[in-house]
Amino acid sequence: MTSSLRLSRIAIYATLLAACAVYLIPLLVMLLTSFKTPDDIRAGNLLSWPEVVTGIGWIKAWDTVGGYFWNSVKITVPAVLISTLLGALNGYVLSMWRFRGSQLFFGLLLFGCFLPFQTVLLPASFTLGKLGLASTTSGLVLVHIVYGLAFTTLFFRNYYCSVPEALVRAARLDGAGFFTIFGRILLPMSVPIIMVCLIWQFTQIWNDFLFGVVFASGDAQPITVALNNLVNTSTGVKEYNVDMAAAMIAGLPTLLVYVLAGKYFLRGLTAGAVKG
């Protein structure tokens, strides 16, 4: 290995380490602060190790936001699963069972990918009120399913367009129907794009704040809203260890999802890039 090549690799690794530090130092500060006492926080610097390691901040944080954490679970899990299943069906129809106006329908559906959250607040509030789902977790589930359909349909439609049409035609000639082709042929081939949709939807729904603060109230709110209320509400001495612990609790699920399944997300995004 030449000296110039060795120096270039050292420069690359140094740049990568610096980038990792930029992203990881705030996380390290949060983690260290969550295990400190209030007196330790006021006396030390941000990166100092706790003088006394204590989990009282985590206990208080969980007592405050634990119920809202489970609200987020109740909202996220069904919304992710249902929107992924419906997106798979939509993508299947739009790619394999094309009908007159299907391209126009798909184009109009894509507008949902570009609509900002704020544009759907009033119509969604009106609809939830008519359905009797206002200020409930069920209402939030419905909102996230509808809003996420444009993305999941786009993902599955593009993925299924890379599947050879001869495979589907052969199944039709053998007498396979709509759901047989979908369930026995396409779904087993769809694991990469299913992982993409699950990770995408989980991240979007779990981290959502706007829909949670608008469409839910009281004990039905998700953890992001509860975290905001905790951080912006102060009585007496500010307990930063509790705030940091609560932020870690709110962020851990999405962090774990990307750590455990991040490689599948990248594979799924590129799986349908080449047709045939």
Side-chain angles (χ1 to χ4, degrees), residues 195-243:
M195 293 302 299
V196 169
C197 287
L198 292 178
I199 295 172
W200 174 273
Q201 281 294 89
F202 184 92
T203 304
Q204 296 298 312
I205 296 171
W206 185 274
N207 291 336
D208 169 68
F209 173 79
L210 184 60
F211 284 169
V213 77
V214 172
F215 299 129
S217 62
D219 294 335
Q221 291 177 328
I223 192 171
T224 49
V225 179
L227 177 62
N228 177 75
N229 295 338
L230 173 65
V231 172
N232 291 313
T233 301
S234 177
T235 55
V237 179
K238 186 65 174 176
E239 296 179 301
Y240 290 102
N241 55 338
V242 177
D243 292 348

Side-chain angles (χ1 to χ4, degrees), residues 103-173:
Q103 294 300 318
L104 176 62
F105 176 79
F106 178 64
L108 293 174
L109 185 65
L110 285 184
F111 277 112
C113 297
F114 306 102
L115 288 176
F117 284 8
Q118 292 84 349
T119 60
V120 301
L121 294 182
L122 288 178
S125 297
F126 177 80
T127 303
L128 292 180
K130 288 294 184 181
L131 295 175
L133 297 176
S135 301
T136 64
T137 53
S138 299
L140 271 177
V141 170
L142 178 60
V143 169
H144 284 298
I145 290 173
V146 173
Y147 193 85
L149 270 181
F151 294 97
T152 57
T153 299
L154 173 64
F155 293 151
F156 276 101
R157 189 262 186 188
N158 289 346
Y159 182 81
Y160 288 150
C161 282
S162 68
V163 176
E165 294 184 5
L167 186 65
V168 177
R169 286 199 299 267
R172 290 178 184 173
L173 290 175

